[in-house]
Amino acid sequence: MSRTFDTSSPTTTSTDEAKIHYLFQLADNALIMGQRLCEWTGVAPELEIDLALCNIALDHLGQANAWYEYLVEIYPQATDVDQLAFCRDEHQYYNITLVELPNGDFAQTIAKMALFSIFNYYLHDALRQCSDARIAAIAARSYKEIQYHRRYASNWLLRLGDGTDISHERMQKALDIVWDHAFEAFTPSPADHIMHQQGIAPDLEQIKALWEDEVHQLLHKATLSIPDTGFTGYRAKSDGVHTEHMGYLLAEMQYMQRRYPNLQW
Amino acid sequence: MEHTTSIDLEKRFEEKIARELKIEPKDWMPEEYRRMLIRQISQHAHSEVIGMLPEKNWLTRAPTLRRKMALLAKIQDEAGHGLYLYSAVETLGVSREQLYRDFLDGKAKYSNIFNYPALTWADIGVIGWLVDGAAIVNQVSLQRTSFGPYARAMVRICKEENFHQRQGYSICLTLARGSAEQRQMLQDAINRWWWPVLMMFGPPDAESKHSQKSMKWKIKRASNDTLRQKFIDQTVPQLEYLGMKAPDPHLKWNPERGHYDYGPIDWEEFWNVIRGKGPCNKERLRTKRVAYEEGQWVRDAAIAYAKEYN
Amino acid sequence: MKEWPLWEVFIRSKNGQYHKHVGSVHATDAQMAIEHARDTYTRRNEGVSIWVVPSKYITASDPEDEDMLFEPAKDKVYRHPTFYKLPDDVKNI
């Protein structure tokens, strides 16, 4: 059987399809976050930071793997984890655009990680208590890791925001760059909507309120200002319309599977 | 007050070495012993750290999620091992910053092997299998090194590195059992890495200038040639199991010696790479230097923040 | 600016055990030192608890004093139970 992923994106008319789409959202967020963090390996600002970023990348790749494994079980189109991770076209990935943004400097990476992990923290806190036992189990395991990511990123955001003039300026600039993309997390996709109705996914309005509260406090403490919000219409998680960065990321990540299809590695 | 003479101290030091007792950081030691330790342990640490780069080259292109995670875990271990080793050398009162700057300035050496490029996915298998394999042979012997912190770091590193070689060989095995193109990819990687890996053990005993003193003080526990032979003897059967060949027509079992014979090593190449003329010397150091320089504002910010709040 | 300060790391491998010295990390504050120690020394479930202490606050005994400090204890054999020979018939002691 060919491992190319040749279906159109799963439509979200039925509950089953919504669940599959929803799992892709979770899996793809983790995968793309992990992939980006891999890029820091060997070139972080200090050796200890190198280790930390590797750890956080490993957590994300592990989470992605767990979600894809579940997808393989319930999604008829799926043959194996790697087909899902590597053999889809760009418009079939449903991560939020925040995670695919380039790492930029360390401040930009921390900005991404902080905004994402605070969202992820509240999301997984809800999911680990949800009615779907399998989702709850994976979320519960991930939650522990995400707690750490949130703390790690928040601590660095404070150090950079309230460190030197240079770091303050860089941190502020980094936040301005990634800020708009964070809001995609709170714009419900059709799958978010259906999963919420099913009592599985949380109400994103509530998550947003928690997120804003925490982020605003954090920025205040870090002596940073809350950026102006610009475009908030990103909807990669709904229909796979990504930023220009995603194509390059995938070209690199999928290179082997594209160049040598249907082989074992 | 009693005075211990330097002759007494030296005698006591030599006695400890003779009795296989470990030397600990605050113990008296000859200046030369201290210098040799700093040189060897920091070179070892630099090697771990720069060794992350060739593998990182394939991390973002790893073909499967499992392989990507295993490779990332391995590279992360290398950063960790660099830290264990810097930590061991810092017990001698030298600053990591200073050692690291010497390394970035090209004043300190690191293993030649990382100045070769990782060109295909098969290189990742071969690096894990052969490069880590060679490093393990060396490090197993260093677990008995006479300096306590170095020996302890080696014990920990050896325990952790076991999986590195296995993950490499597992990649090679999959390629060997794969398509013709995959087998070719593997053979090509073996051809390129074989000789540089044999050079990892250093020049022949007769030409190794630091070796004798280092063996006498039990910093080094086995000679370059002994370790090289040991590595070859254990690797050739693994190579044959893969159905691959070494690029050495002289490689064959010698029943009289009870070892494999091998062909002449191109030491000219070895010395050239040491002198900075390997294919990736400049690039690897430049990458590390740029990362260090671009990280300065981050390190400064953390210090400034801590001053304000502590 | 200067180098990040050095911290010594002590890990408790499981409850019931002492914390044991494992090495050092660089960090600018205690929280960061804990995080760095965790990423460096507990990647394989080696610990359930971490102590970090700035290296500059460790005071070590002088190896020169080894004889003075530790030799005298070697003579005090009467501190060890095997010093006392008791008849085999005496139990539970």
Side-chain angles (χ1 to χ4, degrees):
Chain A
M1 182 174 172
S2 165
R3 295 173 69 252
T4 11
F5 200 89
D6 52 7
T7 61
S8 58
S9 58
T11 52
T12 44
T13 48
S14 76
T15 312
D16 283 352
E17 283 164 344
K19 182 172 175 179
I20 285 161
H21 188 106
Y22 191 73
L23 290 172
F24 271 123
Q25 287 178 214
L26 293 166
D28 293 346
N29 274 346
L31 176 68
I32 304 303
M33 192 73 190
Q35 172 73 8
R36 276 293 187 218
L37 284 173
C38 282
E39 296 171 16
W40 269 111
T41 305
V43 294
E46 184 59 285
L47 195 49
E48 282 89 348
I49 300 178
D50 230 310
L51 264 111
L53 296 181
C54 286
N55 241 354
I56 296 171
L58 270 175
D59 288 346
H60 283 104
L61 295 177
Q63 290 169 21
N65 192 60
W67 294 120
Y68 289 133
E69 276 178 354
Y70 185 27
L71 271 163
V72 169
E73 289 169 32
I74 63 169
Y75 186 31
Q77 300 292 333
T79 56
D80 58 81
V81 163
D82 295 314
Q83 174 217 28
L84 298 181
F86 297 97
C87 302
R88 282 176 292 153
D89 284 333
E90 181 173 328
H91 67 277
Q92 294 166 322
Y93 284 83
Y94 302 118
N95 56 281
I96 59 172
T97 52
L98 176 67
V99 299
E100 75 202 39
L101 296 178
N103 287 332
D105 63 0
F106 187 64
Q108 189 167 323
T109 298
I110 289 299
K112 277 176 65 179
M113 196 193 289
L115 300 186
F116 177 66
S117 63
I118 293 170
F119 155 71
N120 223 17
Y121 169 76
Y122 289 114
L123 176 68
H124 283 73
D125 190 24
L127 288 178
R128 75 196 171 114
Q129 304 165 59
C130 80
S131 59
D132 183 306
R134 189 67 187 276
I135 290 180
I138 299 173
R141 209 176 48 196
S142 309
Y143 174 75
K144 293 176 192 160
E145 297 169 344
I146 295 163
Q147 273 183 305
Y148 188 80
H149 307 161
R150 165 173 165 258
R151 185 157 84 179
Y152 185 85
S154 300
N155 281 340
W156 268 109
L157 197 139
L158 287 174
R159 289 184 195 111
L160 298 181
D162 197 12
T164 62
D165 291 346
I166 297 172
S167 72
H168 176 86
E169 192 183 317
R170 280 186 181 245
M171 196 63 239
Q172 187 66 58
K173 203 178 282 174
L175 278 167
D176 294 343
I177 291 171
V178 306
W179 185 254
D180 290 353
H181 294 271
F183 292 91
E184 185 183 354
F186 311 113
T187 313
S189 66
D192 283 329
H193 191 68
I194 295 171
M195 292 297 275
H196 176 53
Q197 284 176 335
Q198 296 295 313
I200 296 172
D203 176 4
L204 287 176
E205 276 303 313
Q206 277 176 24
I207 303 278
K208 186 182 182 183
L210 293 165
W211 181 88
E212 276 183 333
D213 204 33
E214 181 166 333
V215 168
H216 290 182
Q217 276 187 40
L218 179 66
L219 295 194
H220 179 73
K221 206 173 158 199
T223 71
L224 295 158
S225 39
I226 299 161
D228 293 331
T229 307
F231 181 74
T232 52
Y234 298 105
R235 53 197 171 94
K237 74 168 175 182
S238 298
D239 54 16
V241 176
H242 289 270
T243 64
E244 290 178 343
H245 307 291
M246 187 66 170
Y248 290 97
L249 183 148
L250 290 181
E252 187 170 345
M253 189 175 78
Q254 299 183 335
Y255 166 71
M256 291 294 288
Q257 292 283 354
R258 294 279 184 208
R259 169 65 183 80
Y260 307 97
N262 304 319
L263 292 178
Q264 294 297 308
W265 297 98
Chain B
M1 218 177 124
E2 283 179 69
H3 270 285
T4 326
T5 65
S6 62
I7 296 168
D8 287 342
L9 288 169
E10 194 154 354
K11 210 176 126 203
R12 201 185 289 180
F13 171 83
E14 295 286 358
E15 261 172 31
K16 275 192 192 163
I17 297 279
R19 291 170 53 208
E20 295 285 331
L21 294 175
K22 298 293 182 216
I23 307 299
E24 292 296 341
K26 289 191 175 301
D27 291 348
W28 184 91
M29 60 185 81
E31 255 327 290
E32 199 185 349
Y33 178 80
R34 178 188 298 272
R35 266 201 312 275
M36 286 172 78
L37 283 176
I38 293 172
R39 204 195 62 232
Q40 179 167 334
I41 304 172
S42 61
Q43 279 181 13
H44 200 156
H46 304 328
S47 301
E48 294 281 356
V49 167
I50 210 157
M52 297 165 75
L53 295 178
E55 290 175 297
K56 182 260 179 91
N57 189 37
W58 281 91
L59 182 58
T60 50
R61 289 179 291 171
T64 74
L65 208 44
R66 285 252 154 240
R67 294 286 188 213
K68 194 192 283 286
M69 288 191 280
L71 182 61
L72 178 53
K74 173 181 190 291
I75 302 176
Q76 189 201 24
D77 274 350
E78 275 148 20
H81 298 170
L83 265 175
Y84 302 164
L85 288 160
Y86 283 124
S87 171
V89 74
E90 282 176 291
T91 62
L92 291 166
V94 286
S95 100
R96 177 171 114 193
E97 171 110 352
Q98 188 53 51
L99 295 170
Y100 200 70
R101 278 177 193 276
D102 288 348
F103 157 64
L104 295 179
D105 291 344
K107 287 187 218 152
K109 296 201 168 25
Y110 55 88
S111 179
N112 260 358
I113 196 73
F114 304 116
N115 290 318
Y116 292 86
L119 299 176
T120 69
W121 174 250
D123 289 44
I124 298 307
V126 171
I127 289 172
W129 167 43
L130 294 180
V131 174
D132 283 71
I136 289 168
V137 167
N138 187 34
Q139 289 169 171
V140 163
S141 122
L142 284 173
Q143 291 181 103
R144 293 168 50 243
T145 190
S146 57
F147 185 54
Y150 194 25
R152 290 192 285 276
M154 280 300 118
V155 169
R156 202 178 170 111
I157 288 173
C158 285
K159 214 189 283 173
E160 297 187 354
E161 281 207 343
N162 218 319
F163 110 79
H164 295 186
Q165 199 188 8
R166 283 167 164 258
Q167 73 90 40
Y169 197 71
S170 152
I171 292 172
C172 294
L173 210 49
T174 308
L175 295 174
R177 290 169 177 165
S179 69
E181 204 173 9
Q182 285 174 306
R183 280 194 297 279
Q184 181 53 44
M185 194 189 280
L186 176 60
Q187 183 61 61
D188 169 66
I190 293 169
N191 292 349
R192 281 181 288 109
W193 287 94
W194 181 261
W195 292 110
V197 164
L198 295 190
M199 294 175 199
M200 281 174 71
F201 297 96
D205 295 347
E207 291 167 34
S208 179
K209 65 173 176 176
H210 300 297
S211 268
Q212 280 174 357
K213 204 68 185 250
S214 180
M215 295 275 285
K216 177 179 159 248
W217 279 334
K218 297 183 180 169
I219 299 175
K220 255 174 90 105
R221 300 307 310 253
S223 81
N224 295 353
D225 286 331
T226 310
L227 293 172
R228 187 168 14 247
Q229 185 70 60
K230 189 169 182 216
F231 170 76
I232 291 172
D233 290 348
Q234 71 184 41
T235 302
V236 174
Q238 296 163 0
L239 180 74
E240 285 167 353
Y241 188 84
L242 292 173
M244 295 288 138
K245 289 204 161 30
D248 178 1
H250 299 96
L251 186 71
K252 70 166 190 289
W253 179 249
N254 180 332
E256 278 159 44
R257 288 204 311 129
H259 292 293
Y260 283 90
D261 289 338
Y262 55 96
I265 294 173
D266 179 5
W267 292 110
E268 186 71 18
E269 176 180 326
F270 173 81
W271 293 114
N272 268 330
V273 181
I274 286 222
R275 288 185 206 108
K277 294 178 182 175
C280 299
N281 292 57
K282 283 186 185 166
E283 194 183 334
R284 297 273 188 253
L285 269 185
R286 197 186 310 122
T287 303
K288 281 296 187 188
R289 209 177 296 134
V290 167
Y292 190 75
E293 284 163 7
E294 286 183 353
Q296 189 66 48
W297 69 273
V298 176
R299 298 190 296 277
D300 290 348
I303 290 179
Y305 181 82
K307 276 210 186 104
E308 207 171 320
Y309 291 96
N310 283 347
Chain C
M1 270 193 225
K2 355 198 292 289
E3 191 172 10
W4 285 0
L6 194 65
W7 301 67
E8 298 301 319
V9 179
F10 302 80
I11 306 271
R12 185 205 295 287
S13 59
K14 56 179 183 215
N15 279 4
Q17 305 278 324
Y18 292 107
H19 282 78
K20 207 168 133 188
H21 182 249
V22 291
S24 58
V25 291
H26 287 264
T28 51
D29 56 63
Q31 180 58 38
M32 194 201 276
I34 294 263
E35 288 171 8
H36 290 170
R38 177 250 197 194
D39 289 333
T40 307
Y41 296 105
T42 66
R43 294 195 305 285
R44 288 172 172 77
N45 290 312
E46 292 97 331
V48 295
S49 166
I50 298 173
W51 286 351
V52 290
V53 57
S55 305
K56 64 179 177 188
Y57 293 131
I58 300 265
T59 307
S61 64
D62 187 342
E64 287 283 289
D65 293 340
E66 192 182 321
D67 291 353
M68 175 183 80
L69 292 175
F70 308 114
E71 282 290 323
K74 287 187 186 160
D75 292 338
K76 312 222 170 19
V77 286
Y78 43 80
R79 281 190 196 277
H80 298 279
T82 47
F83 176 76
Y84 303 93
K85 303 276 176 267
L86 298 185
D88 289 348
D89 295 342
V90 183
K91 302 294 184 199
N92 296 320
I93 186 164

